[in-house]
Amino acid sequence: MKQDQYFRDFQKLCIDILAQSDNCQESQDLFRASRSVPELVTAWQRFWAGVLHEVPEQVIKAFGALYPVYRDDILRAGFYYNEAPPIDAPASMVLIGNAPVPEASASGSEAPVPLTIAGRHRVYVLGDHTITCTDNANVHIVADSANVTLTGSARCNIERGTVTARDRSTVSGRGTIHCYDSTTILAYGGIVHDHGHLDIRAYNDATIYSFTNRRIEFHDNAKLIYE
């Protein structure tokens, strides 16, 4: 593929996806002014809040199809798709889309595709992947079918989906939350299944299923159900 066509194909993809969102003139101008694939990826990062909520399915579909072709240039922008950065990588952005179809093992069963992300990376979960984030990762979950486990001191903002918090991790938001160990939970709705915690604060219509009421604060219409 000629270099100019290689770039134009990726630029067109970005602009076409942008056209489906509630984009501003500034974002359109930035994509059109970009002169390389890394510059286009950097533009995505600048307007990432809109991508998360307006065109998530289009974005993960596009990256799923084109990442193998553009991977080297995308990595130059400090961006990874459905893969964990190397241990020595600087703080990067990781986009998680739908899990790849697992390969069949010799016995005919499907082999799992585990993914563990360690470090100070920003991880955005938009698909149905099952992942573990540890160390000081900062995770944002906006997918109903997402299944994320936090360990170490990882932090997570969840809008929907399922997260399991362990060790000293922290979760804020609403969804389905399972907590253990010395975790901190700020539940603004949804359900928390408590198996151990350092601190839980529940707001709005959050429901906490727990064996105790110790170190749990309730506000608004939040409630506790013993189990």
Side-chain angles (χ1 to χ4, degrees):
M1 182 185 298
K2 292 184 178 179
Q3 182 62 26
D4 56 349
Q5 188 64 47
Y6 168 87
F7 167 73
R8 284 201 301 269
D9 287 348
F10 196 91
Q11 184 184 48
K12 182 178 184 303
L13 169 73
C14 294
I15 294 173
D16 287 348
I17 292 175
L18 190 69
Q20 301 175 56
S21 67
D22 186 19
N23 61 86
C24 61
Q25 189 61 47
E26 180 186 4
S27 60
Q28 295 182 49
D29 292 344
L30 188 59
F31 278 108
R32 291 193 173 93
S34 298
R35 294 294 177 263
S36 69
V37 171
E39 286 184 18
L40 288 167
V41 176
T42 300
W44 276 121
Q45 293 171 316
R46 181 171 175 179
F47 297 99
W48 200 241
V51 169
L52 281 176
H53 298 101
E54 295 170 15
V55 288
E57 293 182 3
Q58 294 91 323
V59 170
I60 61 176
K61 181 178 179 180
F63 271 94
L66 296 179
Y67 189 71
V69 176
Y70 292 92
R71 180 177 179 274
D72 289 346
D73 276 323
I74 292 173
L75 293 183
R76 290 189 182 96
F79 189 100
Y80 295 78
Y81 177 75
N82 268 10
E83 67 172 304
I87 295 298
D88 58 350
S92 305
M93 181 179 288
V94 183
L95 175 63
I96 302 298
N98 294 322
V101 177
E103 297 179 359
S105 66
S107 63
S109 62
E110 293 184 338
V113 185
L115 183 59
T116 299
I117 299 171
R120 294 180 175 273
H121 308 296
R122 289 176 294 158
V123 183
Y124 296 89
V125 184
L126 278 66
D128 66 359
H129 221 315
T130 299
I131 65 171
T132 296
C133 295
T134 188
D135 294 341
N136 290 284
N138 197 320
V139 187
H140 197 118
I141 305 173
V142 291
D144 290 324
S145 53
N147 192 341
V148 178
T149 297
L150 308 175
T151 63
S153 297
R155 303 178 67 86
C156 172
N157 180 273
I158 180 171
E159 295 187 28
R160 56 186 189 271
T162 300
V163 60
T164 298
R166 297 182 180 276
D167 300 333
R168 300 169 308 283
S169 57
T170 300
V171 179
S172 175
R174 61 184 303 144
T176 300
I177 302 169
H178 301 266
C179 64
Y180 298 81
D181 308 322
S182 297
T183 50
T184 298
I185 310 297
L186 284 74
Y188 294 97
I191 296 172
V192 177
H193 296 280
D194 174 37
H195 307 279
H197 64 273
L198 177 64
D199 187 30
I200 296 177
R201 279 167 274 172
Y203 301 86
N204 300 324
D205 59 350
T207 300
I208 312 299
Y209 291 88
S210 181
F211 57 93
T212 182
N213 62 1
R214 294 186 61 188
R215 300 187 67 89
I216 304 179
E217 294 181 11
F218 293 92
H219 305 270
D220 308 317
N221 295 315
K223 62 183 177 180
L224 169 66
I225 297 178
Y226 283 103
E227 63 175 11

